[in-house]
Amino acid sequence: MDSDCRYDLKGFSDLLGLPIENIADLFSDLTKEINSEVFKLKTYLCEKDLDQLKQINHNIKGISANYRILDIYEETLEISNALTNITNGDFMHIESLFNNFFVICENAIKEIACYFEQKGFVI
């Protein structure tokens, strides 16, 4: 694992047998997708559309697991449980979880971008 990043991006590269420049392209796509999904989540939060929130959260959960972005993955698990067990007055808790999730996503994207910038790639 690289000491300059909390995510094992080098290990991910090695596991797939791909050079770092290919991994940079993959993570560039990942960050764009997460940003797009976060935008949708914010819209559906305002609309209190639980079905769409569940679907997008599920998608991000799978993507983050595949890319080994464990803090995002763990947060999506917590959100999944909360969405499954939501009661009528509990939407404020869901909003709080998503707001925390948005911060985690923003920090993860910044750290991943920084890692690749240090390697000479812009994502």
Side-chain angles (χ1 to χ4, degrees):
M1 179 183 285
D2 287 321
S3 61
D4 55 348
C5 185
R6 69 181 150 163
Y7 305 111
D8 188 12
L9 303 179
K10 173 73 170 104
F12 184 76
S13 174
D14 293 344
L15 177 71
L16 294 179
L18 294 173
I20 199 71
E21 59 267 12
N22 293 65
I23 299 301
D25 290 341
L26 289 174
F27 276 91
S28 177
D29 292 342
L30 171 70
T31 59
K32 289 175 187 168
E33 186 167 359
I34 288 176
N35 281 329
S36 174
E37 297 295 279
V38 164
F39 178 79
K40 292 176 194 173
L41 284 170
K42 289 179 179 180
T43 300
Y44 293 129
L45 262 179
C46 290
E47 297 172 1
K48 297 184 178 184
D49 187 333
L50 293 175
D51 290 332
Q52 288 297 321
L53 292 171
K54 287 177 185 178
Q55 181 180 355
I56 293 171
N57 186 68
H58 178 76
N59 291 343
I60 295 173
K61 182 172 55 173
I63 292 165
S64 61
N66 289 337
Y67 279 82
R68 296 180 169 183
I69 310 301
L70 296 181
D71 52 352
I72 291 177
Y73 175 74
E74 290 168 357
E75 195 67 21
T76 59
L77 285 176
E78 185 175 351
I79 291 169
S80 287
N81 289 335
L83 287 169
T84 301
N85 300 313
I86 190 168
T87 60
N88 288 339
D90 212 16
F91 198 78
M92 285 178 52
H93 178 62
I94 298 295
E95 289 175 319
S96 175
L97 289 173
F98 272 111
N99 287 330
N100 187 52
F101 173 74
F102 299 148
V103 171
I104 290 170
C105 287
E106 182 180 334
N107 290 337
I109 289 169
K110 285 179 184 176
E111 185 160 347
I112 291 166
C114 182
Y115 172 85
F116 285 108
E117 286 172 12
Q118 291 173 354
K119 303 291 182 197
F121 302 100
V122 177
I123 66 166

